[in-house]
């Protein structure tokens, strides 16, 4: 597939021999050599750990990437852009998704019409946004895979699902950050797809405990990430970003980030109130309506998932059956 970056972004690449961090602009990649911007080997996470210095130097490196020092992207394989220490995932954070959950999950004896359920969902969400707080669960870095890697479907699940999500990349250590200062801690954004085994998420035995989030969402390859980290100053207003997900070329999800129930500053403030955020940590902001439960269609071997966000790039992941040895 062909990728092209307007402006510039950070990524991680392999050339068949080495894995390295690089600056990508257009379709050229400038490899970050050791001790050039940071002491020792450069990784995207180490660049983020020195973000205030690094971000000021990146525009000057664009010309080098376009010149003789740049490597054609077509000669490289794109990896997940970074290895975070921590992953925080916001659940039920799009109005359309919450309404969809209420309608599809209503009790058998609930006689309300879809319109009545939708109005009830809107009222509930307005109240939650006014006095409530975001719902977070933790992700494991071991679930991350690259934007072009295969997604492994576990044989013990028959309902593996998709969720495209705008993802915040943290650029500075944050603890008890206010909403007013929260955007100062955003280094950039990337794309994640929160793959989930729905039939393993809420088994009867675990429902009193709130579900089995680790077993359902943290399997190897269940978090395609990337292709790149786009600096926040090149993104503009994140609320204008459009998220889409296509399954075998058919549109399944489409929405904009201005429909988040809790916005980016609120998510950062809430997460940093609960724990300390570190440079390179990821905060997934939630997924819009249109995942598998809505369509009663689950991922199968051979499926192609294409998750995209305007200005941030696209993922192209093929589903294969996980082989148990």
């Amino acid at each position: 597939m062909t990728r092209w970056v307007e402006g510039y972004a950070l990524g991680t690449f392999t050339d068949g021999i080495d894995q390295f961090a690089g600056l990508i602009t257009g379709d050229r990649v400038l490899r970050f050599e050791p001790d050039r911007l940071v002491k020792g080997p450069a990784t995207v996470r180490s660049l983020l750990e020195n973000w205030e210095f690094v971000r000021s130097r990146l525009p000057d490196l664009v010309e080098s990437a376009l010149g003789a020092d740049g490597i054609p992207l077509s000669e490289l394989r794109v990896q997940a852009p970074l290895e975070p220490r921590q992953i925080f995932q916001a659940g039920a954070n799009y109005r359309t998704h919450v309404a969809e959950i209420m309608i599809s999950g209503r009790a058998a004896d609930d006689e309300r019409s879809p319109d009545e359920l939708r109005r009830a969902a809107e009222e509930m969400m307005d109240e939650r946004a006014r006095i409530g707080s975001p719902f977070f669960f933790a992700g494991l870095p071991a679930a991350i895979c690259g934007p072009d890697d295969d997604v492994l479907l576990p044989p013990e699940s028959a309902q593996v699902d998709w969720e495209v999500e705008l993802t915040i990349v943290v650029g500075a250590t944050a603890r008890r950050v206010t909403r007013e200062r929260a955007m100062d801690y955003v280094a950039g954004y990337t794309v994640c797809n929160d793959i989930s085994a729905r039939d393993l998420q809420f088994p009867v035995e675990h429902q009193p405990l709130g579900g089995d989030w680790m077993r359902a969402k943290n399997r190897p390859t269940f978090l395609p990430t990337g292709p790149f980290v786009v600096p926040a100053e090149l993104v503009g207003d994140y609320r204008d970003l459009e998220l889409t997900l296509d399954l075998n070329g058919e549109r399944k999800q489409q929405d904009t980030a201005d429909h988040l129930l809790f916005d980016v500053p609120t998510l950062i403030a809430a997460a940093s109130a609960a724990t300390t955020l570190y440079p390179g940590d990821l905060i997934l902001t939630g997924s819009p309506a249109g995942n598998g439960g809505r369509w009663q269609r689950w991922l199968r071997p051979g499926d192609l998932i294409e998750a995209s966000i305007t200005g941030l790039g696209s993922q192209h992941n093929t589903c294969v059956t996980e082989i148990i040895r």
Side-chain angles (χ1 to χ4, degrees), residues 10 63 65-66 71 75 82 85 113 130 149-150 169 223 225-226 231 256 275 279 282 305 308 310 319 321 323:
L10 302 178
E63 187 173 342
L66 293 174
I71 306 168
E75 297 179 7
L82 78 164
R85 293 180 182 85
S113 69
R130 187 174 67 85
D149 292 343
D150 290 343
V169 182
L223 195 62
T225 301
T256 53
T275 190
L282 302 181
I305 320 167
S308 301
T310 50
C319 298
T321 300
I323 298 175

mmCIF file with all atom_site columns, all heavy atoms in Angstrom, residues 10 63 65-66 71 75 82 85 113 130 149-150 169 223 225-226 231 256 275 279 282 305 308 310 319 321 323:
data_model
loop_
_atom_site.group_PDB
_atom_site.id
_atom_site.type_symbol
_atom_site.label_atom_id
_atom_site.label_alt_id
_atom_site.label_comp_id
_atom_site.label_asym_id
_atom_site.label_entity_id
_atom_site.label_seq_id
_atom_site.pdbx_PDB_ins_code
_atom_site.Cartn_x
_atom_site.Cartn_y
_atom_site.Cartn_z
_atom_site.occupancy
_atom_site.B_iso_or_equiv
_atom_site.pdbx_formal_charge
_atom_site.auth_seq_id
_atom_site.auth_comp_id
_atom_site.auth_asym_id
_atom_site.auth_atom_id
_atom_site.pdbx_PDB_model_num
ATOM 1   N N   . LEU A 1 10  ? 6.380   11.049  13.408 1.00 0.00 ? 10  LEU A N   1
ATOM 2   C CA  . LEU A 1 10  ? 7.360   10.110  13.946 1.00 0.00 ? 10  LEU A CA  1
ATOM 3   C C   . LEU A 1 10  ? 6.871   8.690   13.736 1.00 0.00 ? 10  LEU A C   1
ATOM 4   O O   . LEU A 1 10  ? 5.670   8.411   13.827 1.00 0.00 ? 10  LEU A O   1
ATOM 5   C CB  . LEU A 1 10  ? 7.580   10.349  15.445 1.00 0.00 ? 10  LEU A CB  1
ATOM 6   C CG  . LEU A 1 10  ? 8.046   11.729  15.877 1.00 0.00 ? 10  LEU A CG  1
ATOM 7   C CD1 . LEU A 1 10  ? 8.157   11.793  17.396 1.00 0.00 ? 10  LEU A CD1 1
ATOM 8   C CD2 . LEU A 1 10  ? 9.371   12.082  15.227 1.00 0.00 ? 10  LEU A CD2 1
ATOM 9   N N   . GLU A 1 63  ? 13.995  18.872  5.567  1.00 0.00 ? 63  GLU A N   1
ATOM 10  C CA  . GLU A 1 63  ? 14.765  18.979  4.328  1.00 0.00 ? 63  GLU A CA  1
ATOM 11  C C   . GLU A 1 63  ? 15.735  17.810  4.179  1.00 0.00 ? 63  GLU A C   1
ATOM 12  O O   . GLU A 1 63  ? 15.928  17.293  3.069  1.00 0.00 ? 63  GLU A O   1
ATOM 13  C CB  . GLU A 1 63  ? 15.532  20.300  4.295  1.00 0.00 ? 63  GLU A CB  1
ATOM 14  C CG  . GLU A 1 63  ? 16.216  20.572  2.961  1.00 0.00 ? 63  GLU A CG  1
ATOM 15  C CD  . GLU A 1 63  ? 16.826  21.957  2.891  1.00 0.00 ? 63  GLU A CD  1
ATOM 16  O OE1 . GLU A 1 63  ? 16.434  22.823  3.707  1.00 0.00 ? 63  GLU A OE1 1
ATOM 17  O OE2 . GLU A 1 63  ? 17.678  22.172  2.016  1.00 0.00 ? 63  GLU A OE2 1
ATOM 18  N N   . ALA A 1 65  ? 15.273  14.814  5.348  1.00 0.00 ? 65  ALA A N   1
ATOM 19  C CA  . ALA A 1 65  ? 14.482  13.631  4.994  1.00 0.00 ? 65  ALA A CA  1
ATOM 20  C C   . ALA A 1 65  ? 14.154  13.611  3.512  1.00 0.00 ? 65  ALA A C   1
ATOM 21  O O   . ALA A 1 65  ? 14.138  12.549  2.879  1.00 0.00 ? 65  ALA A O   1
ATOM 22  C CB  . ALA A 1 65  ? 13.205  13.599  5.824  1.00 0.00 ? 65  ALA A CB  1
ATOM 23  N N   . LEU A 1 66  ? 13.895  14.783  2.948  1.00 0.00 ? 66  LEU A N   1
ATOM 24  C CA  . LEU A 1 66  ? 13.540  14.859  1.526  1.00 0.00 ? 66  LEU A CA  1
ATOM 25  C C   . LEU A 1 66  ? 14.755  14.737  0.620  1.00 0.00 ? 66  LEU A C   1
ATOM 26  O O   . LEU A 1 66  ? 14.625  14.449  -0.568 1.00 0.00 ? 66  LEU A O   1
ATOM 27  C CB  . LEU A 1 66  ? 12.821  16.178  1.254  1.00 0.00 ? 66  LEU A CB  1
ATOM 28  C CG  . LEU A 1 66  ? 11.452  16.345  1.905  1.00 0.00 ? 66  LEU A CG  1
ATOM 29  C CD1 . LEU A 1 66  ? 10.928  17.754  1.679  1.00 0.00 ? 66  LEU A CD1 1
ATOM 30  C CD2 . LEU A 1 66  ? 10.465  15.314  1.375  1.00 0.00 ? 66  LEU A CD2 1
ATOM 31  N N   . ILE A 1 71  ? 15.202  7.899   3.270  1.00 0.00 ? 71  ILE A N   1
ATOM 32  C CA  . ILE A 1 71  ? 15.011  6.545   2.754  1.00 0.00 ? 71  ILE A CA  1
ATOM 33  C C   . ILE A 1 71  ? 13.596  6.448   2.182  1.00 0.00 ? 71  ILE A C   1
ATOM 34  O O   . ILE A 1 71  ? 12.639  6.869   2.838  1.00 0.00 ? 71  ILE A O   1
ATOM 35  C CB  . ILE A 1 71  ? 15.176  5.503   3.872  1.00 0.00 ? 71  ILE A CB  1
ATOM 36  C CG1 . ILE A 1 71  ? 16.514  5.684   4.593  1.00 0.00 ? 71  ILE A CG1 1
ATOM 37  C CG2 . ILE A 1 71  ? 15.041  4.082   3.337  1.00 0.00 ? 71  ILE A CG2 1
ATOM 38  C CD1 . ILE A 1 71  ? 16.611  4.880   5.880  1.00 0.00 ? 71  ILE A CD1 1
ATOM 39  N N   . GLU A 1 75  ? 10.707  1.124   0.786  1.00 0.00 ? 75  GLU A N   1
ATOM 40  C CA  . GLU A 1 75  ? 11.753  0.146   1.098  1.00 0.00 ? 75  GLU A CA  1
ATOM 41  C C   . GLU A 1 75  ? 11.706  -0.325  2.545  1.00 0.00 ? 75  GLU A C   1
ATOM 42  O O   . GLU A 1 75  ? 12.521  -1.173  2.953  1.00 0.00 ? 75  GLU A O   1
ATOM 43  C CB  . GLU A 1 75  ? 13.129  0.766   0.803  1.00 0.00 ? 75  GLU A CB  1
ATOM 44  C CG  . GLU A 1 75  ? 13.339  1.115   -0.658 1.00 0.00 ? 75  GLU A CG  1
ATOM 45  C CD  . GLU A 1 75  ? 14.689  1.755   -0.916 1.00 0.00 ? 75  GLU A CD  1
ATOM 46  O OE1 . GLU A 1 75  ? 15.516  1.804   0.045  1.00 0.00 ? 75  GLU A OE1 1
ATOM 47  O OE2 . GLU A 1 75  ? 14.934  2.204   -2.053 1.00 0.00 ? 75  GLU A OE2 1
ATOM 48  N N   . LEU A 1 82  ? 5.473   3.193   18.637 1.00 0.00 ? 82  LEU A N   1
ATOM 49  C CA  . LEU A 1 82  ? 6.187   3.277   19.907 1.00 0.00 ? 82  LEU A CA  1
ATOM 50  C C   . LEU A 1 82  ? 5.751   2.166   20.845 1.00 0.00 ? 82  LEU A C   1
ATOM 51  O O   . LEU A 1 82  ? 4.743   1.490   20.626 1.00 0.00 ? 82  LEU A O   1
ATOM 52  C CB  . LEU A 1 82  ? 5.970   4.628   20.574 1.00 0.00 ? 82  LEU A CB  1
ATOM 53  C CG  . LEU A 1 82  ? 4.639   4.869   21.304 1.00 0.00 ? 82  LEU A CG  1
ATOM 54  C CD1 . LEU A 1 82  ? 4.759   6.086   22.216 1.00 0.00 ? 82  LEU A CD1 1
ATOM 55  C CD2 . LEU A 1 82  ? 3.494   5.070   20.324 1.00 0.00 ? 82  LEU A CD2 1
ATOM 56  N N   . ARG A 1 85  ? 4.686   2.755   28.133 1.00 0.00 ? 85  ARG A N   1
ATOM 57  C CA  . ARG A 1 85  ? 4.707   2.132   29.446 1.00 0.00 ? 85  ARG A CA  1
ATOM 58  C C   . ARG A 1 85  ? 3.296   1.697   29.836 1.00 0.00 ? 85  ARG A C   1
ATOM 59  O O   . ARG A 1 85  ? 3.096   0.623   30.388 1.00 0.00 ? 85  ARG A O   1
ATOM 60  C CB  . ARG A 1 85  ? 5.222   3.111   30.509 1.00 0.00 ? 85  ARG A CB  1
ATOM 61  C CG  . ARG A 1 85  ? 6.678   3.509   30.403 1.00 0.00 ? 85  ARG A CG  1
ATOM 62  C CD  . ARG A 1 85  ? 7.001   4.485   31.534 1.00 0.00 ? 85  ARG A CD  1
ATOM 63  N NE  . ARG A 1 85  ? 8.379   4.944   31.477 1.00 0.00 ? 85  ARG A NE  1
ATOM 64  C CZ  . ARG A 1 85  ? 8.811   5.971   30.746 1.00 0.00 ? 85  ARG A CZ  1
ATOM 65  N NH1 . ARG A 1 85  ? 7.954   6.618   29.970 1.00 0.00 ? 85  ARG A NH1 1
ATOM 66  N NH2 . ARG A 1 85  ? 10.079  6.335   30.773 1.00 0.00 ? 85  ARG A NH2 1
ATOM 67  N N   . SER A 1 113 ? -39.753 1.946   22.301 1.00 0.00 ? 113 SER A N   1
ATOM 68  C CA  . SER A 1 113 ? -39.363 1.937   20.896 1.00 0.00 ? 113 SER A CA  1
ATOM 69  C C   . SER A 1 113 ? -37.897 2.366   20.778 1.00 0.00 ? 113 SER A C   1
ATOM 70  O O   . SER A 1 113 ? -37.331 2.949   21.713 1.00 0.00 ? 113 SER A O   1
ATOM 71  C CB  . SER A 1 113 ? -40.240 2.895   20.100 1.00 0.00 ? 113 SER A CB  1
ATOM 72  O OG  . SER A 1 113 ? -39.941 4.241   20.465 1.00 0.00 ? 113 SER A OG  1
ATOM 73  N N   . ARG A 1 130 ? -22.504 15.860  32.647 1.00 0.00 ? 130 ARG A N   1
ATOM 74  C CA  . ARG A 1 130 ? -22.608 16.978  33.585 1.00 0.00 ? 130 ARG A CA  1
ATOM 75  C C   . ARG A 1 130 ? -22.008 16.639  34.936 1.00 0.00 ? 130 ARG A C   1
ATOM 76  O O   . ARG A 1 130 ? -21.276 17.440  35.522 1.00 0.00 ? 130 ARG A O   1
ATOM 77  C CB  . ARG A 1 130 ? -24.078 17.393  33.736 1.00 0.00 ? 130 ARG A CB  1
ATOM 78  C CG  . ARG A 1 130 ? -24.299 18.655  34.554 1.00 0.00 ? 130 ARG A CG  1
ATOM 79  C CD  . ARG A 1 130 ? -25.755 19.067  34.530 1.00 0.00 ? 130 ARG A CD  1
ATOM 80  N NE  . ARG A 1 130 ? -26.590 18.095  35.221 1.00 0.00 ? 130 ARG A NE  1
ATOM 81  C CZ  . ARG A 1 130 ? -26.790 18.103  36.551 1.00 0.00 ? 130 ARG A CZ  1
ATOM 82  N NH1 . ARG A 1 130 ? -26.222 19.025  37.308 1.00 0.00 ? 130 ARG A NH1 1
ATOM 83  N NH2 . ARG A 1 130 ? -27.568 17.197  37.105 1.00 0.00 ? 130 ARG A NH2 1
ATOM 84  N N   . ASP A 1 149 ? 0.182   -5.394  10.326 1.00 0.00 ? 149 ASP A N   1
ATOM 85  C CA  . ASP A 1 149 ? 0.358   -6.763  10.801 1.00 0.00 ? 149 ASP A CA  1
ATOM 86  C C   . ASP A 1 149 ? -0.954  -7.537  10.769 1.00 0.00 ? 149 ASP A C   1
ATOM 87  O O   . ASP A 1 149 ? -2.052  -6.955  10.798 1.00 0.00 ? 149 ASP A O   1
ATOM 88  C CB  . ASP A 1 149 ? 0.903   -6.775  12.235 1.00 0.00 ? 149 ASP A CB  1
ATOM 89  C CG  . ASP A 1 149 ? 2.334   -6.264  12.320 1.00 0.00 ? 149 ASP A CG  1
ATOM 90  O OD1 . ASP A 1 149 ? 2.997   -6.209  11.268 1.00 0.00 ? 149 ASP A OD1 1
ATOM 91  O OD2 . ASP A 1 149 ? 2.779   -5.929  13.432 1.00 0.00 ? 149 ASP A OD2 1
ATOM 92  N N   . ASP A 1 150 ? -0.839  -8.864  10.731 1.00 0.00 ? 150 ASP A N   1
ATOM 93  C CA  . ASP A 1 150 ? -2.030  -9.710  10.829 1.00 0.00 ? 150 ASP A CA  1
ATOM 94  C C   . ASP A 1 150 ? -2.618  -9.633  12.233 1.00 0.00 ? 150 ASP A C   1
ATOM 95  O O   . ASP A 1 150 ? -1.891  -9.540  13.227 1.00 0.00 ? 150 ASP A O   1
ATOM 96  C CB  . ASP A 1 150 ? -1.675  -11.169 10.526 1.00 0.00 ? 150 ASP A CB  1
ATOM 97  C CG  . ASP A 1 150 ? -1.328  -11.398 9.061  1.00 0.00 ? 150 ASP A CG  1
ATOM 98  O OD1 . ASP A 1 150 ? -1.654  -10.542 8.229  1.00 0.00 ? 150 ASP A OD1 1
ATOM 99  O OD2 . ASP A 1 150 ? -0.715  -12.446 8.770  1.00 0.00 ? 150 ASP A OD2 1
ATOM 100 N N   . VAL A 1 169 ? -1.201  10.651  22.476 1.00 0.00 ? 169 VAL A N   1
ATOM 101 C CA  . VAL A 1 169 ? 0.153   10.268  22.856 1.00 0.00 ? 169 VAL A CA  1
ATOM 102 C C   . VAL A 1 169 ? 0.669   11.315  23.838 1.00 0.00 ? 169 VAL A C   1
ATOM 103 O O   . VAL A 1 169 ? 0.769   12.502  23.501 1.00 0.00 ? 169 VAL A O   1
ATOM 104 C CB  . VAL A 1 169 ? 1.084   10.177  21.633 1.00 0.00 ? 169 VAL A CB  1
ATOM 105 C CG1 . VAL A 1 169 ? 2.477   9.717   22.056 1.00 0.00 ? 169 VAL A CG1 1
ATOM 106 C CG2 . VAL A 1 169 ? 0.502   9.209   20.593 1.00 0.00 ? 169 VAL A CG2 1
ATOM 107 N N   . LEU A 1 223 ? -4.335  -4.889  19.439 1.00 0.00 ? 223 LEU A N   1
ATOM 108 C CA  . LEU A 1 223 ? -4.296  -3.432  19.453 1.00 0.00 ? 223 LEU A CA  1
ATOM 109 C C   . LEU A 1 223 ? -3.410  -2.914  18.319 1.00 0.00 ? 223 LEU A C   1
ATOM 110 O O   . LEU A 1 223 ? -2.306  -2.400  18.543 1.00 0.00 ? 223 LEU A O   1
ATOM 111 C CB  . LEU A 1 223 ? -3.795  -2.905  20.801 1.00 0.00 ? 223 LEU A CB  1
ATOM 112 C CG  . LEU A 1 223 ? -4.049  -1.416  21.064 1.00 0.00 ? 223 LEU A CG  1
ATOM 113 C CD1 . LEU A 1 223 ? -5.543  -1.112  21.085 1.00 0.00 ? 223 LEU A CD1 1
ATOM 114 C CD2 . LEU A 1 223 ? -3.399  -0.970  22.354 1.00 0.00 ? 223 LEU A CD2 1
ATOM 115 N N   . THR A 1 225 ? -1.715  -0.423  16.111 1.00 0.00 ? 225 THR A N   1
ATOM 116 C CA  . THR A 1 225 ? -1.396  0.953   16.496 1.00 0.00 ? 225 THR A CA  1
ATOM 117 C C   . THR A 1 225 ? -0.562  1.604   15.399 1.00 0.00 ? 225 THR A C   1
ATOM 118 O O   . THR A 1 225 ? 0.337   0.991   14.845 1.00 0.00 ? 225 THR A O   1
ATOM 119 C CB  . THR A 1 225 ? -0.618  0.967   17.828 1.00 0.00 ? 225 THR A CB  1
ATOM 120 O OG1 . THR A 1 225 ? -1.414  0.350   18.843 1.00 0.00 ? 225 THR A OG1 1
ATOM 121 C CG2 . THR A 1 225 ? -0.277  2.387   18.262 1.00 0.00 ? 225 THR A CG2 1
ATOM 122 N N   . GLY A 1 226 ? -0.868  2.871   15.108 1.00 0.00 ? 226 GLY A N   1
ATOM 123 C CA  . GLY A 1 226 ? -0.140  3.602   14.089 1.00 0.00 ? 226 GLY A CA  1
ATOM 124 C C   . GLY A 1 226 ? -1.022  3.895   12.877 1.00 0.00 ? 226 GLY A C   1
ATOM 125 O O   . GLY A 1 226 ? -2.246  3.768   12.942 1.00 0.00 ? 226 GLY A O   1
ATOM 126 N N   . PRO A 1 231 ? 2.513   15.045  15.402 1.00 0.00 ? 231 PRO A N   1
ATOM 127 C CA  . PRO A 1 231 ? 2.556   16.072  16.448 1.00 0.00 ? 231 PRO A CA  1
ATOM 128 C C   . PRO A 1 231 ? 1.270   16.873  16.516 1.00 0.00 ? 231 PRO A C   1
ATOM 129 O O   . PRO A 1 231 ? 0.641   17.175  15.491 1.00 0.00 ? 231 PRO A O   1
ATOM 130 C CB  . PRO A 1 231 ? 3.748   16.946  16.025 1.00 0.00 ? 231 PRO A CB  1
ATOM 131 C CG  . PRO A 1 231 ? 4.640   16.016  15.261 1.00 0.00 ? 231 PRO A CG  1
ATOM 132 C CD  . PRO A 1 231 ? 3.685   15.123  14.506 1.00 0.00 ? 231 PRO A CD  1
ATOM 133 N N   . THR A 1 256 ? -17.054 11.733  13.930 1.00 0.00 ? 256 THR A N   1
ATOM 134 C CA  . THR A 1 256 ? -16.020 12.723  14.195 1.00 0.00 ? 256 THR A CA  1
ATOM 135 C C   . THR A 1 256 ? -15.794 12.850  15.694 1.00 0.00 ? 256 THR A C   1
ATOM 136 O O   . THR A 1 256 ? -16.690 12.576  16.502 1.00 0.00 ? 256 THR A O   1
ATOM 137 C CB  . THR A 1 256 ? -16.400 14.097  13.615 1.00 0.00 ? 256 THR A CB  1
ATOM 138 O OG1 . THR A 1 256 ? -17.700 14.462  14.091 1.00 0.00 ? 256 THR A OG1 1
ATOM 139 C CG2 . THR A 1 256 ? -16.392 14.062  12.109 1.00 0.00 ? 256 THR A CG2 1
ATOM 140 N N   . THR A 1 275 ? -3.627  8.301   38.336 1.00 0.00 ? 275 THR A N   1
ATOM 141 C CA  . THR A 1 275 ? -2.258  7.797   38.371 1.00 0.00 ? 275 THR A CA  1
ATOM 142 C C   . THR A 1 275 ? -1.353  8.787   37.643 1.00 0.00 ? 275 THR A C   1
ATOM 143 O O   . THR A 1 275 ? -1.818  9.810   37.134 1.00 0.00 ? 275 THR A O   1
ATOM 144 C CB  . THR A 1 275 ? -2.168  6.408   37.721 1.00 0.00 ? 275 THR A CB  1
ATOM 145 O OG1 . THR A 1 275 ? -0.878  5.840   37.970 1.00 0.00 ? 275 THR A OG1 1
ATOM 146 C CG2 . THR A 1 275 ? -2.427  6.463   36.234 1.00 0.00 ? 275 THR A CG2 1
ATOM 147 N N   . PRO A 1 279 ? 5.646   10.172  29.466 1.00 0.00 ? 279 PRO A N   1
ATOM 148 C CA  . PRO A 1 279 ? 5.814   10.374  28.024 1.00 0.00 ? 279 PRO A CA  1
ATOM 149 C C   . PRO A 1 279 ? 5.746   9.057   27.250 1.00 0.00 ? 279 PRO A C   1
ATOM 150 O O   . PRO A 1 279 ? 6.377   8.070   27.630 1.00 0.00 ? 279 PRO A O   1
ATOM 151 C CB  . PRO A 1 279 ? 7.207   11.001  27.924 1.00 0.00 ? 279 PRO A CB  1
ATOM 152 C CG  . PRO A 1 279 ? 7.408   11.682  29.231 1.00 0.00 ? 279 PRO A CG  1
ATOM 153 C CD  . PRO A 1 279 ? 6.731   10.796  30.242 1.00 0.00 ? 279 PRO A CD  1
ATOM 154 N N   . LEU A 1 282 ? -0.273  5.970   26.110 1.00 0.00 ? 282 LEU A N   1
ATOM 155 C CA  . LEU A 1 282 ? -1.387  6.122   25.183 1.00 0.00 ? 282 LEU A CA  1
ATOM 156 C C   . LEU A 1 282 ? -2.700  6.230   25.940 1.00 0.00 ? 282 LEU A C   1
ATOM 157 O O   . LEU A 1 282 ? -2.921  5.504   26.915 1.00 0.00 ? 282 LEU A O   1
ATOM 158 C CB  . LEU A 1 282 ? -1.464  4.936   24.227 1.00 0.00 ? 282 LEU A CB  1
ATOM 159 C CG  . LEU A 1 282 ? -0.236  4.643   23.362 1.00 0.00 ? 282 LEU A CG  1
ATOM 160 C CD1 . LEU A 1 282 ? -0.505  3.441   22.471 1.00 0.00 ? 282 LEU A CD1 1
ATOM 161 C CD2 . LEU A 1 282 ? 0.163   5.853   22.527 1.00 0.00 ? 282 LEU A CD2 1
ATOM 162 N N   . ILE A 1 305 ? -9.357  -5.379  7.677  1.00 0.00 ? 305 ILE A N   1
ATOM 163 C CA  . ILE A 1 305 ? -9.848  -4.259  8.482  1.00 0.00 ? 305 ILE A CA  1
ATOM 164 C C   . ILE A 1 305 ? -9.024  -3.030  8.120  1.00 0.00 ? 305 ILE A C   1
ATOM 165 O O   . ILE A 1 305 ? -7.794  -3.065  8.185  1.00 0.00 ? 305 ILE A O   1
ATOM 166 C CB  . ILE A 1 305 ? -9.691  -4.515  9.994  1.00 0.00 ? 305 ILE A CB  1
ATOM 167 C CG1 . ILE A 1 305 ? -10.018 -5.956  10.368 1.00 0.00 ? 305 ILE A CG1 1
ATOM 168 C CG2 . ILE A 1 305 ? -10.556 -3.552  10.796 1.00 0.00 ? 305 ILE A CG2 1
ATOM 169 C CD1 . ILE A 1 305 ? -9.573  -6.319  11.772 1.00 0.00 ? 305 ILE A CD1 1
ATOM 170 N N   . SER A 1 308 ? -9.021  4.210   9.831  1.00 0.00 ? 308 SER A N   1
ATOM 171 C CA  . SER A 1 308 ? -8.398  5.448   9.377  1.00 0.00 ? 308 SER A CA  1
ATOM 172 C C   . SER A 1 308 ? -8.899  6.627   10.194 1.00 0.00 ? 308 SER A C   1
ATOM 173 O O   . SER A 1 308 ? -10.044 6.651   10.666 1.00 0.00 ? 308 SER A O   1
ATOM 174 C CB  . SER A 1 308 ? -8.719  5.718   7.898  1.00 0.00 ? 308 SER A CB  1
ATOM 175 O OG  . SER A 1 308 ? -8.279  4.664   7.071  1.00 0.00 ? 308 SER A OG  1
ATOM 176 N N   . THR A 1 310 ? -8.566  10.977  9.652  1.00 0.00 ? 310 THR A N   1
ATOM 177 C CA  . THR A 1 310 ? -8.074  12.014  8.742  1.00 0.00 ? 310 THR A CA  1
ATOM 178 C C   . THR A 1 310 ? -6.813  12.665  9.311  1.00 0.00 ? 310 THR A C   1
ATOM 179 O O   . THR A 1 310 ? -6.766  13.052  10.471 1.00 0.00 ? 310 THR A O   1
ATOM 180 C CB  . THR A 1 310 ? -9.135  13.100  8.530  1.00 0.00 ? 310 THR A CB  1
ATOM 181 O OG1 . THR A 1 310 ? -9.624  13.552  9.803  1.00 0.00 ? 310 THR A OG1 1
ATOM 182 C CG2 . THR A 1 310 ? -10.291 12.584  7.711  1.00 0.00 ? 310 THR A CG2 1
ATOM 183 N N   . CYS A 1 319 ? -7.072  -10.535 8.982  1.00 0.00 ? 319 CYS A N   1
ATOM 184 C CA  . CYS A 1 319 ? -7.360  -11.475 10.071 1.00 0.00 ? 319 CYS A CA  1
ATOM 185 C C   . CYS A 1 319 ? -6.938  -12.884 9.681  1.00 0.00 ? 319 CYS A C   1
ATOM 186 O O   . CYS A 1 319 ? -7.239  -13.351 8.572  1.00 0.00 ? 319 CYS A O   1
ATOM 187 C CB  . CYS A 1 319 ? -8.851  -11.459 10.408 1.00 0.00 ? 319 CYS A CB  1
ATOM 188 S SG  . CYS A 1 319 ? -9.447  -9.865  11.004 1.00 0.00 ? 319 CYS A SG  1
ATOM 189 N N   . THR A 1 321 ? -6.346  -16.993 11.599 1.00 0.00 ? 321 THR A N   1
ATOM 190 C CA  . THR A 1 321 ? -6.581  -17.822 12.783 1.00 0.00 ? 321 THR A CA  1
ATOM 191 C C   . THR A 1 321 ? -5.276  -18.008 13.550 1.00 0.00 ? 321 THR A C   1
ATOM 192 O O   . THR A 1 321 ? -4.246  -18.342 12.969 1.00 0.00 ? 321 THR A O   1
ATOM 193 C CB  . THR A 1 321 ? -7.146  -19.189 12.388 1.00 0.00 ? 321 THR A CB  1
ATOM 194 O OG1 . THR A 1 321 ? -8.399  -18.989 11.698 1.00 0.00 ? 321 THR A OG1 1
ATOM 195 C CG2 . THR A 1 321 ? -7.385  -20.057 13.612 1.00 0.00 ? 321 THR A CG2 1
ATOM 196 N N   . ILE A 1 323 ? -2.682  -19.893 15.502 1.00 0.00 ? 323 ILE A N   1
ATOM 197 C CA  . ILE A 1 323 ? -2.294  -21.311 15.552 1.00 0.00 ? 323 ILE A CA  1
ATOM 198 C C   . ILE A 1 323 ? -1.785  -21.637 16.949 1.00 0.00 ? 323 ILE A C   1
ATOM 199 O O   . ILE A 1 323 ? -0.850  -21.011 17.439 1.00 0.00 ? 323 ILE A O   1
ATOM 200 C CB  . ILE A 1 323 ? -1.226  -21.614 14.502 1.00 0.00 ? 323 ILE A CB  1
ATOM 201 C CG1 . ILE A 1 323 ? -1.779  -21.363 13.091 1.00 0.00 ? 323 ILE A CG1 1
ATOM 202 C CG2 . ILE A 1 323 ? -0.751  -23.069 14.619 1.00 0.00 ? 323 ILE A CG2 1
ATOM 203 C CD1 . ILE A 1 323 ? -0.775  -21.518 11.989 1.00 0.00 ? 323 ILE A CD1 1
#
